[in-house]
Amino acid sequence: VYMKTAFKCVIISDTHGDFRPIWEVIEKEKPFDTLIHCGDVEGNLDAELGIQTFGYFSVKGNCDVFSEDEKERCLTLGYFRIFVTHGHQYHVRSGTEARAAEGCRKRADVILYGHTHVPDIHRDKHTGILIVNPGSLSRPRQNLRNRTYAVLTISENTLPQAEIRELAARI
């Protein structure tokens, strides 16, 4: 039995109906294993992406009124458990405590979320959980207003690592 021991996951969020930057990220980052959208797709990701060589899914954000996606999901990659949520139900704009507490309840090693449109990566000082917000590919809110996403790397013998990456400015 072969079990894969390293994974490259592309994390995006808050695209609000704009699929062009999703395709830009796919082209820039392939090959990768999984594309995870942290909500506010405002469209049908399945219809847009169709059959791909990578797995993908999204969770329901506060603007995904007609979506049938789940509000949150847990998945296991290698030896690590990942909790995915949009984050609005955890009041993410006012701190990370509620999210980290929920991540602990779900026994997560990594929490992925969106909603704020501001990229952030940190390890919770109490739980050690890696918390990642990829920012927004269509409506960034951080100072420089760069379109951002994250790449999560999971390997067998190290803790999960994440990095914020940018797309070139729109012309």
Side-chain angles (χ1 to χ4, degrees):
V1 175
Y2 170 75
M3 182 173 162
K4 188 171 174 135
T5 58
F7 298 88
K8 177 182 178 184
C9 304
V10 175
I11 316 302
I12 61 176
S13 191
D14 297 282
T15 51
H16 294 280
D18 188 357
F19 289 101
R20 288 173 305 172
I22 297 174
W23 287 109
E24 286 180 57
V25 168
I26 289 169
E27 288 303 311
K28 184 175 174 183
E29 293 298 335
K30 67 184 183 183
F32 56 89
D33 299 293
T34 307
L35 176 77
I36 300 172
H37 196 302
C38 296
D40 281 357
V41 178
E42 289 191 69
N44 187 329
L45 197 62
D46 286 335
E48 180 67 25
L49 296 182
I51 297 171
Q52 294 293 334
T53 57
F54 53 87
Y56 63 88
F57 69 87
S58 58
V59 293
K60 184 174 184 168
N62 58 300
C63 294
D64 292 320
V65 181
F66 301 108
S67 171
E68 294 180 13
D69 285 338
E70 298 172 42
K71 288 184 181 176
E72 33 189 64
R73 292 182 68 166
C74 286
L75 67 145
T76 301
L77 291 177
Y79 299 99
F80 297 101
R81 190 160 166 83
I82 300 168
F83 172 53
V84 185
T85 182
H86 184 58
H88 60 289
Q89 66 270 43
Y90 296 106
H91 312 289
V92 295
R93 288 197 174 117
S94 57
T96 62
E97 295 78 20
R99 229 182 7 252
E102 185 63 19
C104 258
R105 280 192 287 283
K106 306 252 191 231
R107 296 192 172 129
D109 300 292
V110 178
I111 298 172
L112 306 175
Y113 76 102
H115 189 58
T116 66
H117 295 225
V118 177
D120 177 51
I121 297 174
H122 69 279
R123 256 186 221 287
D124 183 77
K125 62 185 174 196
H126 302 294
T127 64
I129 296 172
L130 180 65
I131 301 175
V132 180
N133 183 329
S136 174
L137 281 176
S138 64
R139 300 178 187 172
R141 292 184 181 150
Q142 71 276 19
N143 288 341
L144 297 176
R145 302 273 195 232
N146 294 334
R147 300 178 301 152
T148 59
Y149 61 99
V151 173
L152 175 68
T153 306
I154 294 178
S155 301
E156 183 177 6
N157 297 319
T158 60
L159 288 174
Q161 301 294 318
E163 172 185 351
I164 298 295
R165 297 191 180 166
E166 296 180 355
L167 283 182
R170 282 209 175 116
I171 301 171

